[in-house]
Amino acid sequence: MVDLIWNGKEQLEESIDYIQNNLTSFERVELNSKLKYDLIVNGKNKDWINKLFWGDNLQVALNLLPKFKGQIDLLYLDPPFFSGTNYEIQIYEGDKEFETLAYHDKWQGGLDVYLNTIYQQFYLFKKLLSPQGLIFVHVDWHANHYIRAILDDLFGINNFVNSIVWYYYNKYSAGKYNLPRAHDTIFVYSMSDEYAFNELRIPRKKPIKQLKRVMVNGTLKNAKDENGKLIYRIVNDKKMDDVWRIPCMQPASKQWTGYPTQKHHRLLERIIKIGTHKGDLVADFYCGSGTTLYAAEKLKRRWIGVDNSKYAIYLTRKRLLNYLHKKNVNNLYPFEIITDITEKRQEILQSGFFQKELIIKRKK
Ligand SMILES: C[S@@+](CC[C@H](N)C(=O)[O-])C[C@H]1O[C@@H](n2cnc3c(N)ncnc32)[C@H](O)[C@@H]1O
């Protein structure tokens, strides 16, 4: 048996108890929006309100636990990758222009602190996942080897489902002494042997002629007609495998929000289609520009999103409202923004931040 150990791992329960004992309470933000639509978007179904949390995901998870233990059907987690980068953005507000930080991925204390943070977060998020639930964890080469070991530790090796390779063929990579890095990894784990898993099929470039196969006494055999001749069929699609060729978001895309590390909505649409059905609950505890929530909204799933960056919440809200109103979508569920109103957040809210017309771009 291999044990995974790092400095601080054994203090997990103690650290969580400390946060639990100092828990802040979260409440719905009421904005007097100057926009023609309000924050609480009307939905047909009044039994559920989608939730966008502005705050630290550990705090949010602890706040959710009493009501949502075992309730989430699918978790997509796209945490900081241990990249050592501060993700800066350029803001345009009327004739003002300034640079600021969207979020940071530099870890004082190095890998121990990063792994401890991730471990605590995932440990709590797991408690929210339903016994039939699936978790998709998106990482890259910086720390994927450690994260897989952490997931084995938390979910059990036997609950490993897939290691999906997202091949983003269109990303510029300047590496001179290595091969261009062109993929991320998405680890999939289940809570038990019984989980929702919908087969997805993708179109083939050209139709192919394929032998028809049938199951005979539990074994796959070639199908034959009454004269003993093999039966062929023309196939236009194929079962989707674990290598996904989907481009990176580019600033020219209509869906580009300006948020650094925004993932492609097609990636999230696939994930949600694989692991959930209409009305199921999807959660993303590092929602950034809200790609998961946007995809969940499109696919008529319920959702919970969390981020502690005000720019992430600003863009997510704007993206969802634009989708719901400009496209005149008949949305199933309303949505609300919830936060723990610290002094700093109070100031931001009072400054009318969410009502401002900001243009956000990648730093020049
Ligand atoms: C890789 S980005 C997610 C990008 C997102 N998938 C998208 O498509 O835009 C990671 C996000 O995690 C957020 N984050 C990091 N630590 C967090 C924490 N402790 N609580 C809440 N959000 C956090 C960051 O603010 C950042 O927006």
Side-chain angles (χ1 to χ4, degrees):
M1 177 67 193
V2 177
D3 260 345
L4 182 66
I5 294 170
W6 62 85
N7 280 338
K9 185 187 178 190
E10 60 287 356
Q11 275 114 45
L12 171 75
E13 298 284 351
E14 219 177 287
S15 322
I16 289 179
D17 279 353
Y18 178 81
I19 304 168
Q20 179 81 61
N21 293 334
N22 294 283
L23 209 56
T24 46
S25 60
F26 281 75
E27 53 188 271
R28 176 192 284 183
V29 175
E30 301 292 348
L31 296 182
N32 290 322
S33 180
K34 283 186 200 142
L35 301 173
K36 60 178 179 294
Y37 32 80
D38 208 335
L39 246 194
I40 314 296
V41 182
N42 279 324
K44 280 190 292 193
N45 194 329
K46 301 288 182 238
D47 304 338
W48 169 258
I49 302 179
N50 289 326
K51 295 171 194 327
L52 177 57
F53 283 91
W54 176 24
D56 180 77
N57 52 25
L58 267 185
Q59 293 269 350
V60 174
L62 282 166
N63 269 280
L64 286 173
L65 260 174
K67 213 170 150 202
F68 287 92
K69 192 169 177 198
Q71 295 301 306
I72 291 171
D73 299 297
L74 184 144
L75 268 174
Y76 169 77
L77 304 177
D78 179 19
F81 287 176
F82 196 64
S83 66
T85 306
N86 281 335
Y87 292 98
E88 292 181 277
I89 45 179
Q90 191 87 16
I91 310 279
Y92 301 84
E93 184 187 352
D95 48 12
K96 271 195 288 175
E97 179 187 339
F98 57 95
E99 279 170 17
T100 187
L101 191 69
Y103 74 97
H104 75 90
D105 191 3
K106 277 190 180 166
W107 299 81
Q108 260 188 2
L111 192 59
D112 284 345
V113 173
Y114 173 75
L115 292 181
N116 245 337
T117 308
I118 292 286
Y119 191 68
Q120 282 180 13
Q121 293 169 342
F122 288 15
Y123 170 84
L124 278 184
F125 302 159
K126 183 186 169 207
K127 291 181 187 285
L128 295 164
L129 200 52
S130 99
Q132 291 78 38
L134 279 180
I135 178 170
F136 290 73
V137 178
H138 191 140
V139 274
D140 79 356
W141 61 273
H142 290 93
N144 61 5
H145 43 315
Y146 297 112
I147 302 287
R148 177 149 179 195
I150 282 184
L151 290 167
D152 278 349
D153 194 84
L154 286 172
F155 287 83
I157 290 176
N158 293 338
N159 287 325
F160 168 82
V161 176
N162 272 121
S163 167
I164 298 168
V165 169
W166 171 27
Y167 170 42
Y168 39 76
Y169 51 89
N170 63 335
K171 189 172 172 184
Y172 173 73
S173 173
K176 205 171 164 193
Y177 298 105
N178 51 34
L179 300 173
R181 295 190 172 118
H183 80 275
D184 287 357
T185 314
I186 303 166
F187 294 125
V188 190
Y189 281 75
S190 63
M191 286 289 277
S192 66
D193 301 347
E194 280 172 39
Y195 51 91
F197 202 91
N198 305 313
E199 180 182 304
L200 295 191
R201 301 194 68 84
I202 48 171
R204 288 178 180 274
K205 279 194 188 125
K206 277 189 200 157
I208 60 156
K209 195 174 162 189
Q210 206 176 55
L211 272 172
K212 189 173 171 195
R213 309 268 284 161
V214 281
M215 194 67 87
V216 182
N217 300 330
T219 319
L220 261 184
K221 297 209 163 148
N222 294 337
K224 292 182 181 165
D225 64 15
E226 60 275 16
N227 302 319
K229 278 194 161 176
L230 291 168
I231 306 175
Y232 289 89
R233 57 186 189 143
I234 301 297
V235 188
N236 295 302
D237 61 4
K238 63 174 181 179
K239 198 169 165 175
M240 195 165 69
D241 60 27
D242 61 0
V243 179
W244 296 0
R245 193 176 187 278
I246 295 177
C248 239
M249 283 308 290
Q250 296 290 352
S253 161
K254 275 194 194 145
Q255 278 297 327
W256 175 246
T257 61
Y259 199 71
T261 67
Q262 177 182 338
K263 302 302 179 300
H264 203 293
H265 48 282
R266 269 170 53 203
L267 192 73
L268 269 305
E269 282 167 23
R270 279 191 184 181
I271 289 172
I272 292 172
K273 279 184 190 161
I274 288 174
T276 60
H277 301 105
K278 197 170 153 185
D280 280 354
L281 181 56
V282 173
D284 182 342
F285 283 83
Y286 310 84
C287 75
S289 63
T291 312
T292 309
L293 320 180
Y294 167 78
E297 191 69 58
K298 269 175 88 178
L299 296 168
K300 304 209 180 310
R301 271 59 166 175
R302 294 175 298 137
W303 55 257
I304 294 175
V306 185
D307 207 288
N308 57 5
S309 158
K310 67 175 181 179
Y311 293 105
I313 301 300
Y314 176 91
L315 285 174
T316 298
R317 166 182 178 261
K318 199 169 165 191
R319 187 174 185 187
L320 290 166
L321 291 177
N322 278 346
Y323 169 70
L324 294 171
H325 290 271
K326 285 208 178 126
K327 298 242 157 123
N328 229 343
V329 171
N330 204 0
N331 57 313
L332 276 183
Y333 307 104
F335 86 83
E336 60 186 347
I337 296 187
I338 304 172
T339 191
D340 48 341
I341 309 209
T342 57
E343 223 173 280
K344 187 135 188 247
R345 294 218 172 98
Q346 188 73 48
E347 252 173 53
I348 296 170
L349 287 169
Q350 276 169 354
S351 75
F353 173 74
F354 286 100
Q355 289 92 337
K356 288 182 179 166
E357 271 306 325
L358 304 179
I359 296 172
I360 298 179
K361 291 191 179 168
R362 200 179 265 167
K363 196 186 130 184
K364 280 181 200 161

